[in-house]
Amino acid sequence: MTTAAALTSTLAGASKGGLRSFKNSLATVLVSASFCVALIPLVWLLWTVVSKGLKTITTSQWWTHSQRSITFRRPGGGVSHAILGTAEQVLVCTIISVPIALLVAIFLIEYGGGALAKVTSFMVDILTGIPSIVAALFIYAVFITTLGGQRAGIYVSLALVMLMVPVIVRTTEEMLKLVPNELREASYALGVPKWKTITKIVLPTAYSGIVTGVMLGVARVAGETAPLLILVGYSPDTNSNLLSGFQGSLPGMIYSQVPQLGNKRFHYAADRLWGTALTLILIVMVLNVGARLIARRSKIAN
Amino acid sequence: MAKRIDAKNLDIYYGKFLAVSEVSFTIAPRSVTAFIGPSGCGKSTVLRTINRMHEVITGAHVKGDLLLDGENIYDSAIDPVEVRRTIGMVFQRPNPFPTMSIYDNVAAGLKLQSGRLKKSDLDDTVEKSLRGANLWEEVKNRLGKPGAGLSGGQQQRLCIARAIAVEPQVLLMDEPCSALDPISTLAIEDLIQSLKEKYTIVIVTHNMQQAARVSERTAFFNLAGVGKPGKLVEIDETQKIFSNPSDPRTEDYISGRFG
Ligand SMILES: Nc1ncnc2c1ncn2[C@@H]1O[C@H](COP(=O)(O)OP(=O)(O)O)[C@@H](O)[C@H]1O
Ligand SMILES: [Mg+2]
């Protein structure tokens, strides 16, 4: 009787096992299929930009020349003015955003729990949802309408700060949460004060994650267009002065070529548009990979 | 340099929850005292009040006095950071700093406590501490390698080296062997024997054989029931606790009738 019982249960197990393995393969197929579906737009986008932009960015003038005195009827010219403008605006934005965002994230995670932390966290949530054009209008209202400034690149940087800070705060928060509490306790138990525990133990442990967060922030703002249109305009000529005058920028250059996108007779503007788009993607990608390498290197060196 | 510890009527809270109540004991310098008892009775909690690590947890606080060589470390004029420099701690799970090399892990306390130190002094301290933790021979050729690359037992000895590098006077250990294999456990027990010549040691253990092997005195903690505070039932010579305890509850626990 026991053998019979054992036998039935084995048989039941086998057929159950069959069903289970079928369900398992079904799930595998579904998951892989959704993965492919999710990849399609990405690959398609990359393919479009690369195939349409590659020949432009490999021309001799592309990386060294501006668009000075180049019209849509003429080929040639480059993006140097746009790279310079975008680099300056994003760099200043990053320099302002990183310390603010790190301090906010440290406050929320390491000193959080109180009412002020709740309010701050709520504010960061709201900031995350602010459309870039609203951030730009806010800066315009404060610095140009009220304080009487002239449109300039620096105001773009300030508007971008509002978009970058919440991205870095949120990723840094996640990274700080990942640092095991045991490490903080180990440090306190050695008689290390809290602020030194944060700067010497917690931040270095979360370092590579924080760098990734900063890069996400850079990627987030590098392609923003609304603040450019409202706060600095676009100049096809090189202008390295953040404090005055129109300034070239990668999104600005794309935007400036859009009116000629459908022009059948002159395709030069359209070529430059795709070339600029590819340049923007490449720069963000290179920054990303570079930052990851630096983060990994310094971790090993430590 | 080892110091004497007197606990007087400690009531230890997590927020409103009274976790341990009315604990009083005396621990002599240069001795090993074991804390035993069923899990959840508050051994770790009491241990962490000895170096003011308890209050690191939000809402956690302590009532009563804890004297270190007669000085109340819960006096409002005392800086908890200073207390922790005097009373070192080793945790249940080895927790070397993952971003640091073996050398930097041992030097961490000194480097982070005070600013500039001479490299040669630091070298000496690191070697002395690693020798003190019986780890020097195993790691002397790879001091620059990450501390996290060592085995569990080596990591725990690294944590002991890190704790003794700042020359504390008391060393607290919370189940230091519970995550280790038997051989590493033996290594740590041997180490405790040699450390007690310089330090006052308090060790929490759930392993009664270990308590019997390493300690001179044993404190038995117990819990009257769920939600009730833990209490110190008795503290006495280890030999007496294990052969002829004064309290029947201790005897029940030792003889395995519960817990
Ligand atoms: N961080 C904490 N917050 C709230 N309660 C805690 C915390 N840590 C421990 N406790 C409670 O305190 C009591 C004693 O715990 P603990 O000291 O860890 O016991 P033991 O080390 O003897 O197993 C338990 O009831 C436990 O639930
Ligand atoms: Mg415990």
Side-chain angles (χ1 to χ4, degrees), chain B residues 14 17 19 38-45 57:
Chain B
Y14 290 100
F17 173 60
S39 86
C41 67
K43 306 179 294 292
S44 303
T45 304
I57 295 161

Side-chain angles (χ1 to χ4, degrees), chain A residues 171-194:
Chain A
T171 43
T172 305
E173 270 187 288
E174 291 310 312
M175 294 308 141
L176 294 180
K177 278 187 208 157
L178 286 181
V179 176
N181 223 2
E182 300 165 7
L183 295 182
R184 297 184 181 87
E185 295 212 329
S187 175
Y188 297 149
L190 287 173
V192 179
K194 182 164 184 170

